Amino acid sequence: MPFARELAAYGDRIALITPEGQLSYRELAERVALTAERLGPVRRLVLLAGANRTDALVTHLAALSAGHPVLLVPGDSESTIRSLTEAYAPDVVARPHTDGTWTLDERHPTSAHTLHPDLALLLSTSGSTGSPKLVRLSHDNLQANAESIAAYLGIDDTDRAATTLPMHYCYGLSVIHSHLLRGAGLVLTERSVSDAAFWDEFRAARGTSLAGVPYTFDLLDRVEFARMHLPHLRCVTQAGGRLAPELVARYAELGRRSGWQLFVMYGQTEATARMAYLPPQLAAERPEAIGVPIPGGSFRLDPVDGHGPGAGELVYSGPNVMLGYAESPADLSLGRTVEELRTGDLARRASDGLYEIIGRRSRFLKILGLRIDPQRIEALLEAHGVAAYCAGDGETLAVTALGDASAQGRIRRLIAQDCGLPPHAVRVRALAELPRLASGKPDYEAVRQLTRPAAEAASDPAEDLVCLYAEILDRVDVTEDSSFVSLGGDSLSYVEMSLRLEESLGHLPADWHTRTIRELRPLTAPVARTPDERDGSVPRRDRGIRSALRTWTSPDSWGTRRTLETGVVLRAAGIVLIVGSHVRIFDIKGFAHILLGVAGYNFARFLLTDATRRERIRRLGRSIARIAVPSMVWITGAVLLTDFYDPANALLLNTLLDQGNDRFDWAYWFVEALVYFLIALTLLMAVPLLDRLERRYAFGVPLALMAIGLVGRYDLLGLASVRPQLSPSVVFWLFALGWAAARADTVRQRALLTAALLLTVPGLFEDQPLRTALVIAGLGLLIWVPTLPSLGPLSTLAGVLASSSLYIYLTHYQVYPYLQEDFPITALLASLVIGVGYATVVTRTARTIRWL
């Protein structure tokens, strides 16, 4: 393996830049030689837990340089390491120990296998699923592909590439090989491009090259890559799936303006990594093309029935084509069994000589960036006693299975957990008989048709609700016995859930959040779908947006009568009036105090459920984090970029530290109060006795807390801050009142709360009778009126505003001051839009990192 053996030729040039320091090529070669000596002169199969860290890379290079075949697996997947260890019985297992140190577990002094002399590397064909089917690559494959890539990218010893992709992935590995071949540097990191620290490392290392799959470019958009100053960046490469042509064109233009080039590439593991690239000067005008073959490679098109003479299956030839597949240890003795690569892609060659992919012939699927083998999923289900056919349908996996509808949720969970797909990307339909063609072969087109949403809803409306719950709550364990509260739904997700449920049910029961899907089944009403929804051409994630647009543009929708929960109306109207009053378009104050009552109301409904005490505490902690973390992040930015706030604001400690009486010092009093209340109540609910009391006296406990809160309301202990009506000790009784309102289920209890409201609110706001009356009216509605009439478009708008209300409140202080004098209406609208945008960012981030 020339590039692995000749590292020392580059002397003192920097080979690796890591968080622990730099390593020259001479130092790297010495470490590789020591590890190769330990592996010994007798060829052995080395299973390597791949990771973008020095130990893993040194072991990989040592094995290649000494001729030991490497079985490269994802180091972060214990199940894959275990399954491939069992399947291939490697002679050496190289991986981190539990204490983080690197270990070489030498299981056999000589190889237990017959290893073909050409065999250098074994890679999975299906990501991290642990499939025993592996691609056999030779030393010549690796060397030829590295040389070809280095040639068309123009890599030289001044380049420094970041390891933005996993080492066990052929694309990520090709970045490593092609740069080491030319004596270039590697910025060896395991950080994501969404991590600010990654960019600090990249700039400090004077990085010149970034590699990404389509999802990487989504992350780049989120971190505003277009605005970054990266003076040494020379090229950005993309492979791993089709990038939308509009994104290719946009990034090509961005590169032209910023001084770097975009290389769009096409490849497969079976071709070591790459087969084609799009010359960067053509990316803007031909973004839909995969380009031309890499140096040393060639394409031909084999005719396929049903396609014209200009199209066919793309067949690749070149020195990087694999030796063949391995499905068992016996196959490791085989030499070349494949001379050319039938890609399974349908393509055509345009008049300008560029190749374009127009379809897929093989059954391998790319769903949300993951390569999925439907045949392996069928085998997985068969192992669980389920006969099924699987097919791809755009960005979803379609599955028909023998059985009844009650098994659909279990099948979806099995597939989602095994493949790493979100539940909403798996569509399952249980049937009495699997669809077959007249020849007896599976009818995969029928699989796609039978699992499309219209067919699913027609067959079992309750299963459609299972999909809905799984999608909105991002859960894989939804069954017909699940309810919104049992799945951990909270006030931040119930708005979207309630609106979507009303579309499905026709009306929304007051206790919908505690009812199981099975109990909601009789209420399910068929939903009218547009033609593009019926044929499945609109991806599920886009339907909410399309539905909202149709609602606003359809004249019929304005006559559609709906209902909205009073809490949703108060949150939506409240945030508009709060922002509008700050902008001074009008002067209607009091809604922040009403929203404290709404917060207490939702606290009782979604956090104090029948779950165990431990589960309650977990959900309370999660709720605190979902409020506090995005708030602290945003306010920290405001502290750093403006002079209006102190660090105490960013830490949500302004109330406790009494920073002063400036208007902006107290801007976030509402968030601070809410976080304080939740922390205090979490501590109380952690006490077993108090937890039991709350369950037994569901109305009595919040009533008692409201009475205790009145001590603070009238400041009998002198705890109020310089702004009493904004002090948590003063306003806690409103939160407790909302909690009690959620538990009040008799007229007498509601009347008692109303009397308390009428007696205690007056005097809170001195000389502000309108504000007093507004708080009484708003909380009175919450006590007595569970829902309010609405129209379809208004419900949609209210839902968006209500679900984003906390984030609008957070962000509007940094928006409206710049516009309010000259453009007050624009200031209001901009505040709402930016808050909704921040809510979207927080929601996506929370689903990604899963701890919010």
Side-chain angles (χ1 to χ4, degrees):
M1 200 67 194
F3 76 78
R5 290 198 309 267
E6 299 169 2
L7 297 170
Y10 292 105
D12 292 327
R13 294 204 62 82
I14 299 300
L16 306 181
I17 303 168
T18 75
E20 293 76 35
Q22 297 182 348
L23 207 65
S24 71
Y25 269 90
R26 179 175 288 108
E27 292 167 328
L28 176 60
E30 290 172 356
R31 292 187 59 172
V32 167
L34 287 173
T35 304
E37 184 177 347
R38 181 172 175 186
L39 290 173
V42 178
R43 296 181 79 221
R44 293 188 289 176
L45 179 63
V46 179
L47 184 144
L48 172 60
N52 291 334
R53 51 180 287 180
T54 305
D55 291 327
L57 180 55
V58 166
T59 303
H60 173 69
L61 295 172
L64 291 182
S65 66
H68 301 282
V70 177
L71 171 50
L72 191 54
V73 301
D76 58 355
S77 175
E78 285 295 328
S79 62
T80 301
I81 294 173
R82 184 171 55 253
S83 64
L84 288 176
T85 299
E86 292 172 354
Y88 281 90
D91 305 309
V92 180
V93 174
R95 60 173 306 181
H97 193 268
T98 52
D99 63 3
T101 59
W102 191 255
T103 63
L104 291 179
D105 179 10
E106 300 184 63
R107 301 182 167 204
H108 309 122
T110 60
S111 184
H113 312 290
T114 303
L115 303 172
H116 193 277
D118 293 339
L119 182 63
L121 182 64
L122 296 160
L123 292 177
S124 172
T125 63
S126 50
S128 59
T129 61
S131 169
K133 186 175 183 179
L134 303 174
V135 171
R136 295 183 292 115
L137 299 172
S138 70
H139 300 89
D140 289 343
N141 290 155
L142 300 180
Q143 185 74 22
N145 209 222
E147 290 175 353
S148 180
I149 293 167
Y152 72 74
L153 290 181
I155 299 172
D156 61 31
D157 60 8
T158 64
D159 280 308
R160 291 184 174 179
T163 55
T164 50
L165 299 167
M167 178 186 179
H168 68 267
Y169 174 33
C170 68
Y171 180 15
L173 190 62
S174 73
V175 173
I176 293 173
H177 287 178
S178 58
H179 283 77
L180 291 178
L181 174 78
R182 292 290 178 89
L186 290 172
V187 185
L188 201 60
T189 178
E190 295 188 291
R191 297 187 188 276
S192 166
V193 296
S194 62
D195 189 338
F198 168 85
W199 297 105
D200 294 336
E201 292 178 2
F202 189 74
R203 292 188 188 92
R206 303 166 71 91
T208 64
S209 178
L210 289 171
V213 295
Y215 178 62
T216 308
F217 288 81
D218 291 340
L219 295 178
L220 291 177
D221 282 344
R222 294 180 197 175
V223 299
E224 297 186 327
F225 173 73
R227 297 187 179 184
M228 289 186 183
H229 179 59
L230 302 169
H232 303 287
L233 183 62
R234 187 181 67 79
C235 75
V236 174
T237 64
Q238 183 272 318
R242 180 177 181 270
L243 188 65
E246 57 269 22
L247 283 179
V248 173
R250 176 156 63 84
Y251 271 87
E253 176 59 23
L254 174 61
R256 187 192 64 78
R257 295 197 311 268
S258 305
W260 49 264
Q261 293 182 312
L262 175 68
F263 285 82
V264 175
M265 304 177 298
Y266 167 77
Q268 291 180 3
T269 309
E270 289 85 346
T272 309
R274 322 271 180 88
M275 292 181 282
Y277 74 100
L278 181 62
Q281 67 272 19
L282 301 177
E285 61 182 86
R286 294 285 274 114
E288 69 283 0
I290 63 168
V292 296
I294 63 173
S298 64
F299 286 131
R300 79 166 194 274
L301 297 173
D302 270 7
V304 175
D305 291 344
H307 293 270
E313 181 179 5
L314 191 64
V315 181
Y316 176 79
S317 297
N320 52 314
V321 172
M322 66 176 177
L323 297 173
Y325 291 111
E327 299 192 55
S328 71
D331 294 334
L332 304 183
S333 65
L334 298 177
R336 179 167 293 281
T337 59
V338 173
E339 297 296 334
E340 58 185 11
L341 178 61
R342 305 191 70 85
T343 66
D345 287 321
L346 299 176
R348 62 174 169 239
R349 187 172 185 268
S351 57
D352 56 5
L354 301 181
Y355 285 85
E356 301 171 356
I357 302 297
I358 60 174
R360 183 77 183 149
R361 185 177 188 181
S362 80
R363 294 195 62 210
F364 274 104
L365 310 169
K366 275 285 182 71
I367 298 177
L368 302 181
L370 297 176
R371 193 178 187 198
I372 305 297
D373 181 356
Q375 187 172 356
R376 206 186 68 78
I377 294 173
E378 292 173 359
L380 166 76
L381 295 177
E382 184 177 7
H384 285 83
V386 178
Y389 291 157
C390 304
D393 194 4
E395 293 193 353
T396 59
L397 181 68
V399 180
T400 55
L402 280 180
D404 55 42
S406 63
Q408 292 178 169
R410 181 176 72 93
I411 294 170
R412 178 182 291 105
R413 289 194 300 277
L414 278 172
I415 296 170
Q417 290 169 350
D418 185 76
C419 297
L421 290 171
H424 66 78
V426 182
R427 298 207 314 265
V428 179
R429 174 86 180 274
L431 301 169
E433 185 176 349
L434 294 178
R436 293 182 175 87
L437 299 169
S439 63
K441 295 181 179 180
D443 186 348
Y444 290 112
E445 181 56 34
V447 171
R448 299 183 186 95
Q449 295 292 340
L450 289 167
T451 56
R452 284 177 177 162
E456 280 188 275
S459 65
D460 186 358
E463 175 62 16
D464 217 29
L465 294 186
V466 170
C467 296
L468 182 62
Y469 276 64
E471 175 186 350
I472 293 178
L473 298 178
D474 197 29
R475 297 284 293 256
V476 300
D477 54 348
V478 182
T479 70
E480 289 193 39
D481 295 313
S482 303
S483 68
F484 181 75
V485 295
S486 74
L487 293 169
D490 57 21
S491 61
L492 296 175
S493 54
Y494 95 95
V495 176
E496 182 184 4
M497 192 78 226
S498 63
L499 293 176
R500 296 280 294 276
L501 270 181
E502 189 176 28
E503 290 181 9
S504 295
L505 302 180
H507 70 283
L508 196 63
D511 60 348
W512 67 268
H513 57 292
T514 60
R515 292 199 193 188
T516 66
I517 294 174
R518 191 183 305 278
E519 292 169 336
L520 292 173
R521 180 202 295 246
L523 305 174
T524 309
V527 182
R529 289 181 168 84
T530 61
D532 55 2
E533 288 178 320
R534 286 195 295 270
D535 67 15
S537 59
V538 179
R540 180 179 294 273
R541 68 171 186 268
D542 294 335
R543 289 177 193 160
I545 300 171
R546 294 282 294 271
S547 176
L549 291 173
R550 285 196 305 273
T551 299
W552 278 89
T553 56
S554 169
D556 294 339
S557 67
W558 283 92
T560 304
R561 296 180 62 84
R562 294 277 183 86
T563 59
L564 267 181
E565 292 191 20
T566 300
V568 175
V569 175
L570 291 175
R571 285 169 67 180
I575 196 60
V576 173
L577 293 174
I578 288 170
V579 177
S581 295
H582 288 169
V583 178
R584 297 177 186 170
I585 296 175
F586 36 70
D587 188 19
I588 304 176
K589 297 179 180 179
F591 258 95
H593 291 78
I594 293 173
L595 294 184
L596 279 176
V598 174
Y601 188 85
N602 290 333
F603 168 78
R605 296 178 75 199
F606 304 122
L607 296 175
L608 298 184
T609 65
D610 292 333
T612 64
R613 179 169 57 88
R614 179 174 295 181
E615 179 63 16
R616 275 187 170 187
I617 299 304
R618 188 189 69 79
R619 292 182 183 179
L620 280 164
R622 181 172 176 267
S623 185
I624 292 168
R626 290 194 68 179
I627 296 170
V629 173
S631 300
M632 294 170 75
V633 169
W634 183 271
I635 300 170
T636 297
V639 170
L640 295 174
L641 298 176
T642 73
D643 296 327
F644 297 115
Y645 307 94
D646 291 303
N649 291 108
L651 297 174
L652 303 181
L653 296 175
N654 182 69
T655 302
L656 298 180
L657 299 181
D658 200 11
Q659 292 292 296
N661 199 30
D662 182 81
R663 172 186 177 189
F664 284 101
D665 280 341
W666 287 87
Y668 295 107
W669 71 271
F670 179 90
V671 178
E672 291 186 9
L674 193 54
V675 171
Y676 296 168
F677 297 161
L678 292 176
I679 291 174
L681 291 169
T682 299
L683 295 175
L684 289 176
M685 291 299 113
V687 178
L689 175 61
L690 297 178
D691 179 74
R692 290 195 298 270
L693 284 174
E694 191 282 325
R695 294 174 192 270
R696 183 172 181 181
Y697 303 105
F699 180 73
V701 167
L703 195 65
L705 288 174
M706 187 176 74
I708 294 171
L710 290 176
V711 175
R713 154 70 181 90
Y714 293 104
D715 198 24
L716 300 180
L717 301 179
L719 300 176
S721 59
V722 292
R723 289 197 169 190
Q725 73 273 23
L726 308 185
S727 176
S729 63
V730 172
V731 298
F732 172 72
W733 113 95
L734 292 172
F735 183 92
L737 186 144
W739 176 357
R743 299 304 199 205
D745 51 14
T746 67
V747 172
R748 180 176 296 180
Q749 290 172 340
R750 295 189 184 98
L752 178 61
L753 293 178
T754 304
L757 191 63
L758 293 171
L759 290 172
T760 56
V761 173
L764 180 63
F765 312 107
E766 295 181 5
D767 302 322
Q768 298 183 66
L770 177 61
R771 193 173 184 178
T772 299
L774 187 64
V775 172
I776 292 173
L779 293 176
L781 275 176
L782 193 67
I783 293 169
W784 289 99
V785 184
T787 61
L788 293 168
S790 179
L791 297 175
L794 295 180
S795 293
T796 302
L797 178 61
V800 172
L801 293 174
S803 59
S804 306
S805 56
L806 173 67
Y807 307 104
I808 295 171
Y809 179 85
L810 273 175
T811 59
H812 83 285
Y813 287 108
Q814 285 72 55
V815 179
Y816 79 82
Y818 302 99
L819 298 168
Q820 69 178 126
E821 294 299 329
D822 298 322
F823 309 102
I825 300 298
T826 303
L828 171 61
L829 294 176
S831 297
L832 299 179
V833 168
I834 290 175
V836 171
Y838 189 53
T840 302
V841 170
V842 171
T843 300
R844 290 182 178 177
T845 303
R847 288 182 175 179
T848 300
I849 63 180
R850 293 189 179 276
W851 64 275
L852 288 182

